[in-house]
Amino acid sequence: MSSKSIDRSAPVQGAIVIHPERDDRGADRSGEARLEEAIGLALALDLEVREAIVAPLRKLTPATLFGSGKVEEIHALCEAADVSVAVVDDSLTPVQQRNLEKAWEVKVIDRTGLILEIFARRARTREGRLQVELARLSYERSRLVRTWTHLERQRGGFGVMGGPGETQIETDRRLIAEKIGKLKRDLTEVRRTRTLQRSARQRAPVPSVALVGYTNAGKSTLFNRLTASDVVAQDMLFATLDPTLRTLKLPDGRPCILSDTVGFISDLPHELVEAFRATLEEVKEADVILHVRDLANPDTEAQAKDVRTVLSRLDVELDERRLIEVWNKIDLLDGEAKAEVLGDARRRFPRAVAVSAVTGEGLDLLLETVAGLVDEAPPVEVHAPAGEGAAIAWLYRHGRVIARETNDEGGVRLEVSLSPQALGQFEQLFPQAELRH
């Protein structure tokens, strides 16, 4: 048989998506909206969703999560749709997962496993792969239950009598624990390197701006538009994972560092929250935070709440004084809805800017708002004698020049806004220049 006739493409896996509707989830968004998000996650994993249902769950069954009647009903749906994967949009215990696989005769994956699998496929950098692997092992460690007989077998002990030895499940747990320890040490080194890089950027007084937001809010599209980059931007949940840093030019020509971070999602697994703590340190250290929201999504308020919840779990306090809400995707709103959004942006949120990352609408105002936040330090007066062109050029590169006058002797008086770091560095580099606060 010739190689041309061999189909090496991965077979399409049919899937059913089940969202358990629980009373303890709150009323921030409907069960149908949560189901749509779960379908989006399944599609991001290249599954073919053939059936999707919201399953009311008034009482949790320890063995299977669902009651026996619902388990049988879903089994019939699995057979009718000829699926090989069942996605349960909730956290399952190892016992529940195993029992449902037996009852439905398909592979069962819960919300945590689904997101972990997506992250494992999308991570590109060494740091991203380390974080995903750490999260995956932490998740799998809890899955080591005595499902198979080989886990009961004992390995030989030491000495003449042999002793009880170590069961296979204990061996697996020990090996996973050792690997988790190594990954944590590797991530500590990554965090140290990132801290050194951040310290170097802070010494060269360039302000930093961080993008945060719900997954698929348009962060990467906005990032590309502002920095003329080509970061992957697709209409898909978790299209990008790894943090990316680029230089952004402010309206006065001064540079700043813009960082794009992983998108958030409701009920983000604990394992992933902990694993991505190092990545999101960029947000903690940023001078300005841009919270990107999808205004065309009816659940935008609930999504914004989820972002703040995840950040608080990471001990990232959103200082409202350095936060700008970026209301994205206004190009998807009709005339009346768009006018209402723009009115709200001006009236209710003094630092909300309505934009379209696709068309570029509103981006000039966004950059002006960012520059205004970066330049909140009170301006200083600088008197540079004649021949100090280097000092003047430095101020234009690292600060915002508000006014300039030239005296009869050829000296220059500048009124300039500088960050505290930039001001300290200027005083060290150009002691001959006269500063007046």
Side-chain angles (χ1 to χ4, degrees):
M1 182 182 294
S2 67
S3 60
K4 292 183 179 179
S5 62
I6 299 175
D7 183 9
R8 290 186 170 86
S9 61
V12 175
Q13 287 187 293
I16 180 173
V17 179
I18 306 119
H19 170 69
E21 180 69 358
R22 295 164 51 170
D23 294 335
D24 58 352
R25 285 191 185 273
D28 286 340
R29 70 184 64 150
S30 66
E32 287 73 18
R34 290 180 179 272
L35 178 64
E36 281 299 317
E37 183 173 273
I39 292 171
L41 290 171
L43 294 175
L45 202 55
D46 300 325
L47 295 174
E48 183 184 281
V49 178
R50 298 175 182 169
E51 188 68 63
I53 63 168
V54 174
L57 194 65
R58 292 174 179 80
K59 181 182 177 183
L60 274 63
T61 304
T64 56
L65 185 66
F66 304 98
S68 57
K70 184 60 70 175
V71 169
E72 292 176 6
E73 177 187 329
I74 295 174
H75 181 216
L77 288 173
C78 290
E79 289 186 331
D82 189 24
V83 300
S84 56
V85 179
V87 176
V88 178
D89 186 33
D90 208 330
S91 295
L92 295 174
T93 67
V95 172
Q96 289 170 343
Q97 186 174 357
R98 184 177 74 248
N99 289 340
L100 289 176
E101 285 183 342
K102 288 181 178 178
W104 295 341
E105 301 177 290
V106 296
K107 177 178 174 57
V108 174
I109 183 169
D110 68 355
R111 183 181 178 86
T112 302
L114 185 65
I115 295 175
L116 282 171
E117 185 65 29
I118 295 170
F119 274 42
R121 289 193 185 188
R122 304 281 169 78
R124 293 289 178 267
T125 64
R126 178 173 179 268
E127 179 183 2
R129 289 194 292 267
L130 282 172
Q131 290 173 142
V132 170
E133 181 67 7
L134 176 60
R136 187 182 64 82
L137 287 174
S138 300
Y139 173 73
E140 287 187 355
R141 181 166 56 179
S142 67
R143 309 277 128 178
L144 286 178
V145 292
R146 290 179 171 82
T147 308
W148 300 281
T149 56
H150 82 279
L151 295 178
E152 300 283 359
R153 298 175 190 154
Q154 292 183 333
R155 304 173 67 87
F158 297 102
V160 179
M161 297 301 294
E166 185 180 49
T167 62
Q168 183 64 47
I169 193 170
E170 289 168 344
T171 302
D172 291 346
R173 282 181 175 147
R174 177 173 53 79
L175 292 174
I176 284 181
E178 290 173 358
K179 195 165 185 179
I180 286 175
K182 182 180 183 305
L183 286 170
K184 286 183 175 178
R185 290 192 295 274
D186 291 344
L187 270 175
T188 299
E189 182 63 23
V190 168
R191 182 176 297 186
R192 188 185 71 84
T193 303
R194 186 178 287 277
T195 301
L196 289 173
Q197 292 171 342
R198 191 181 301 116
S199 299
R201 292 200 303 270
Q202 289 172 343
R203 284 196 298 273
V206 178
S208 60
V209 179
L211 292 171
V212 298
Y214 207 79
T215 183
N216 212 30
K219 289 188 294 78
S220 295
T221 304
L222 180 63
F223 184 88
N224 289 341
R225 169 72 71 161
L226 291 174
T227 62
S229 301
D230 56 356
V231 173
V232 175
Q234 299 176 5
D235 185 16
M236 179 185 292
L237 299 181
F238 298 120
T240 53
L241 293 180
D242 298 305
T244 310
L245 280 73
R246 294 286 188 276
T247 300
L248 168 68
K249 291 287 187 182
L250 294 175
D252 56 5
R254 187 157 50 105
C256 70
I257 300 296
L258 182 65
S259 61
D260 185 17
T261 58
V262 63
F264 298 154
I265 197 168
S266 64
D267 304 320
L268 188 67
H270 171 75
E271 294 88 353
L272 281 176
V273 171
E274 290 302 311
F276 279 84
R277 185 180 294 275
T279 300
L280 292 171
E281 282 180 356
E282 292 290 342
V283 180
K284 294 179 72 172
E285 301 296 331
D287 296 297
V288 177
I289 298 173
L290 303 184
H291 179 189
V292 184
R293 292 176 51 181
D294 177 2
L295 260 289
N297 191 310
D299 293 318
T300 182
E301 293 292 343
Q303 291 179 352
K305 183 179 177 182
D306 287 330
V307 169
R308 291 173 180 268
T309 299
V310 174
L311 287 173
S312 66
R313 287 168 64 187
L314 288 163
D315 301 323
V316 177
E317 294 296 331
L318 280 182
D319 186 349
E320 300 297 332
R321 293 171 299 177
R322 61 189 182 103
L323 175 71
I324 301 172
E325 284 210 348
V326 182
W327 293 4
N328 191 26
K329 303 191 182 182
I330 60 171
D331 55 299
L332 301 180
L333 301 175
D334 58 33
E336 187 175 334
K338 184 175 178 180
E340 185 177 344
V341 164
L342 291 173
D344 275 350
R346 297 188 189 98
R347 185 172 60 255
R348 292 171 49 207
F349 300 91
R351 286 205 181 115
V353 182
V355 306
S356 168
V358 172
T359 66
E361 182 180 356
L363 295 191
D364 289 342
L365 177 58
L366 175 61
L367 289 174
E368 289 174 9
T369 308
V370 171
L373 270 189
V374 168
D375 295 333
E376 275 196 337
V380 295
E381 194 174 296
V382 180
H383 291 263
E388 286 299 327
I392 296 170
W394 194 95
L395 289 171
Y396 272 96
R397 283 198 307 273
H398 299 288
R400 186 168 68 91
V401 176
I402 301 168
R404 173 174 175 157
E405 293 178 1
T406 304
N407 59 33
D408 297 336
E409 291 78 27
V412 176
R413 185 194 73 83
L414 297 174
E415 188 179 345
V416 59
S417 180
L418 292 165
S419 68
Q421 299 99 319
L423 183 59
Q425 190 169 5
F426 180 79
E427 289 176 324
Q428 289 181 346
L429 291 173
F430 306 102
Q432 65 277 21
E434 181 184 348
L435 281 172
R436 294 178 185 172
H437 294 272

